[in-house]
Amino acid sequence: WKKVWDAVINNNSPPSSVIDPTLLYRATIRASPWTSYAWAKDNPGFVFWYEPHHQPNSRFTYGMELTKTLSQEHYCTYIHMFSHRYAVRRRETARDRMTYHSVCVLEWDHGRYCTVVELAYLNGIGGSQGKSNYYDDPDSKVPTKLYAVYPPELIQPWLSDRAEIRGYDVEARNID
């Protein structure tokens, strides 16, 4: 391979023309360095919280913005943790038998809903069109309610070697 253009050397200006249109060219595309720790340059952190019960409208907050929107009016009364294995449609491998997914369920003093908190693949919800196991519309043909409020900068292919923290308010009032 021969390098014919470099964004750094060429001051981010696009190439003027293709050298030989009969040849195939390979491109290496890299994201900005800040994408290693954030979805938005001025809002670091791979964490989000979806609040469909927030009044007057549902709310989706991510990154450090969470510290500005979290209410101190309510407090968590109980935290429950549960783990499960995902079903596989093939013969289970040793890795399948050892792989569990764990979530925490937070119960609140107001008793109107609970919050599910999980650590999962980075961009997993954006990369799967907003499909989540915690809402009734994961098999929806149209965008899910979660995906409808999802910021466009979070819609990317998922990365199975990176993680994000997700918070979802769900209809359950408590674990019972």
Side-chain angles (χ1 to χ4, degrees), residues 7 62 84 107 109 138 144-145 152:
Y62 69 94
H84 67 89
E107 290 186 32
D109 63 327
T144 63
K145 291 176 186 175

Side-chain angles (χ1 to χ4, degrees), residues 12-171:
N12 286 327
S13 62
S16 57
S17 66
V18 176
I19 306 231
D20 184 348
T22 63
L23 297 176
L24 295 175
Y25 291 90
R26 177 178 70 167
T28 302
I29 302 171
R30 292 188 178 89
S32 297
W34 58 263
T35 61
S36 66
Y37 61 82
W39 286 301
K41 186 176 185 176
D42 59 346
N43 190 7
F46 291 121
V47 57
F48 72 75
W49 195 332
Y50 174 49
E51 301 170 90
H53 309 293
H54 184 266
Q55 296 300 324
N57 298 314
S58 64
R59 178 167 66 183
F60 187 98
T61 315
Y62 69 94
M64 289 299 292
E65 289 294 315
L66 278 173
T67 60
K68 298 175 186 170
T69 61
L70 290 177
S71 170
Q72 295 188 6
E73 299 170 12
H74 302 288
Y75 60 92
C76 179
T77 55
Y78 295 100
I79 299 176
H80 310 273
M81 183 173 178
F82 71 90
S83 300
H84 67 89
R85 291 178 25 202
Y86 286 106
V88 292
R89 291 193 166 106
R90 55 182 161 57
R91 187 170 181 203
E92 270 190 328
T93 65
R95 182 179 180 152
D96 293 330
R97 289 190 291 276
M98 292 187 296
T99 302
Y100 283 79
H101 183 66
S102 299
V103 301
C104 291
V105 178
L106 285 59
E107 290 186 32
W108 298 100
D109 63 327
H110 54 62
R112 295 191 310 265
Y113 53 81
C114 287
T115 301
V116 174
V117 179
E118 69 177 341
L119 180 70
Y121 289 162
L122 180 62
N123 305 322
I125 296 297
S128 61
Q129 299 182 332
K131 295 177 181 175
S132 169
N133 294 333
Y134 310 112
Y135 297 108
D136 289 336
D137 59 357
D139 297 323
S140 175
K141 299 271 188 256
V142 297
T144 63
K145 291 176 186 175
L146 171 58
Y147 200 61
V149 299
Y150 223 69
E153 58 269 31
L154 275 68
I155 300 172
Q156 304 176 35
W158 67 77
L159 301 173
S160 59
D161 62 339
R162 310 271 316 273
E164 67 190 16
I165 299 170
R166 306 173 187 165
Y168 308 95
D169 288 349
V170 295
E171 290 185 15

